[in-house]
Amino acid sequence: MTDYVIADETDVMPRDGTIKLHGPAGYEGMRKAGRLAAEILDALVPMVRPGVTTAAIDDVVRQMTLDGGAVPATLGYRGYTHSCCISINHVVCHGIPSETRVLRDGDIVNIDVTPLLDGWHGDTSRMYLVGDVPLKAKRLVDVTYECLMIGIEQVKPGARLGDIGAAIQAHAERQRYGVVREFCGHGLGRLFHDAPEVIHAARAGTGPELKPGMFFTIEPMINLGKAGVKLLDDGWTAVTRDRSLSAQFEHSLGVTETGAEIFTLSPAGLHCPPYAA
C-alpha cells in the first residue's frame, strides 16, 4: 500500500518511500526552478553546433544557473563533477561533459539540467540536432518527444502511474523502438530524487494512484534498436548495448485537480527540434 504525506514546504523531508503531496508554496517554488531550467535549455540552442565541446556547454550551464540565483544540483551529487549531463547518439543518459568531446555534424544530443533554486529542483532535458542529421535520427527524436507528451496526457487525479508507462510503451513499440527499463522518472521537489518511481514501460491500471500535489518527472529514453543498456566503467555513462541511437526528453510536473502542470515548459516555445537558432 502506498503511503502519502503532506509535504513540509519549508524543509527537506527524508527520502523514506512516502509520496509527498505539495501545496501552493511548493507549486510556486517548482514554477520558478522549472522556468530557470527551461530558460537554460533555450539559451543553448545557438551553441549546439559542430565544433563545440561538451565542456564548453557545461560551462555555460553552470554560469547561467549561478546567474539565475541557483546552483547546479548535479555538481557534487554522488561525486559527479559537472553541471549537466550531455548524452550523444548511442549514450542513453548521464553522459559526462568533456574537453575532448567535440560535437559533430549529424549528432543527436540530449542535455539534462537541474538548477536548485531556493531549495526546489527544476529537472528537465531536451534533444538537440547538430548540423545535418539523418532522417531516421530525426524520426527517433520526434517519436521520443511524442512519448513524453503522451505520457503527460495520462496524468490526472485517480489515474495510476502505470497508465503513463503503458501509453509511452505502446507508442514507442508501434514504431519498433525499444523503451529503456533501467532508468525511470522520479519524484522531486526539495529532494532531487524521491518517490515515486515513474516507469516508462508498464501495465495500465497498476502502480500508485495519482493525487493532486504529487511532483515527479517523466523522462522516457527511447532506443532506435533494442531496449538493452549497459553502464560504462566511469560509473555514470549508460549506452545502448547494440550501439543504436537513443533519445530522451524530460519534464518536471505536478498533479493538479484537473490534470498536470508542466513546470519546465520552454518560455521561448522551443519544445522539440528543429529549433530556430
Side-chain angles (χ1 to χ4, degrees), residues 31-110:
R31 289 181 191 120
K32 291 177 180 177
R35 183 178 178 88
L36 176 59
E39 287 172 345
I40 292 169
L41 293 186
D42 285 352
L44 296 178
V45 168
M47 187 177 186
V48 180
R49 62 184 189 274
V52 175
T53 67
T54 54
I57 295 171
D58 187 62
D59 288 342
V60 170
V61 170
R62 181 170 57 258
Q63 194 59 55
M64 284 197 68
T65 305
L66 297 174
D67 290 347
V71 295
T74 57
L75 194 58
Y77 181 78
R78 297 183 179 178
Y80 193 76
T81 59
H82 299 276
S83 299
C84 66
C85 296
I86 303 178
S87 304
I88 303 173
N89 296 336
H90 73 291
V91 177
V92 175
C93 61
H94 304 157
I96 301 173
S98 166
E99 293 283 0
T100 60
R101 182 52 168 104
V102 177
L103 298 183
R104 302 184 181 93
D105 189 67
D107 285 343
I108 60 172
V109 183
N110 177 272

Side-chain angles (χ1 to χ4, degrees), residues 205-257:
T206 64
E209 180 183 350
L210 302 184
K211 297 186 178 185
M214 290 173 64
F215 295 167
F216 52 83
T217 69
I218 301 177
E219 47 184 296
M221 286 146 273
I222 309 298
N223 297 345
L224 188 62
K226 295 181 179 179
V229 307
K230 65 179 180 180
L231 193 65
L232 298 187
D233 291 341
D234 60 31
W236 287 102
T237 308
V239 300
T240 55
R241 285 191 174 275
D242 60 7
R243 301 281 295 186
S244 64
L245 296 174
S246 187
Q248 179 190 22
F249 284 87
E250 175 184 15
H251 274 316
S252 296
L253 55 93
V255 183
T256 69
E257 296 291 341

Side-chain angles (χ1 to χ4, degrees), residues 1 18 25 38 55 57 72 88 127 137 144 165 167 174 217 220:
M1 185 173 179
T18 60
I57 295 171
I88 303 173
M127 294 299 297
T144 303
R174 275 195 292 270
T217 69

Side-chain angles (χ1 to χ4, degrees), residues 127-207:
M127 294 299 297
Y128 298 79
L129 308 179
V130 183
D132 187 15
V133 172
L135 184 59
K136 67 177 182 179
K138 291 180 181 177
R139 178 62 180 157
L140 173 66
V141 170
D142 287 343
V143 170
T144 303
Y145 179 75
E146 292 165 5
C147 284
L148 170 66
M149 300 312 294
I150 286 169
I152 292 173
E153 287 174 3
Q154 313 310 309
V155 178
K156 58 183 180 295
R160 298 279 176 173
L161 271 176
D163 299 341
I164 298 170
I168 290 170
Q169 181 179 5
H171 187 65
E173 291 183 351
R174 275 195 292 270
Q175 313 299 322
R176 298 186 178 179
Y177 294 157
V179 182
V180 172
R181 269 75 163 174
E182 287 86 348
F183 300 94
C184 60
H186 53 86
L188 83 169
R190 287 197 169 273
L191 286 170
F192 193 175
H193 296 97
D194 200 7
E197 290 189 343
V198 182
I199 308 300
H200 303 117
R203 186 160 52 91
T206 64

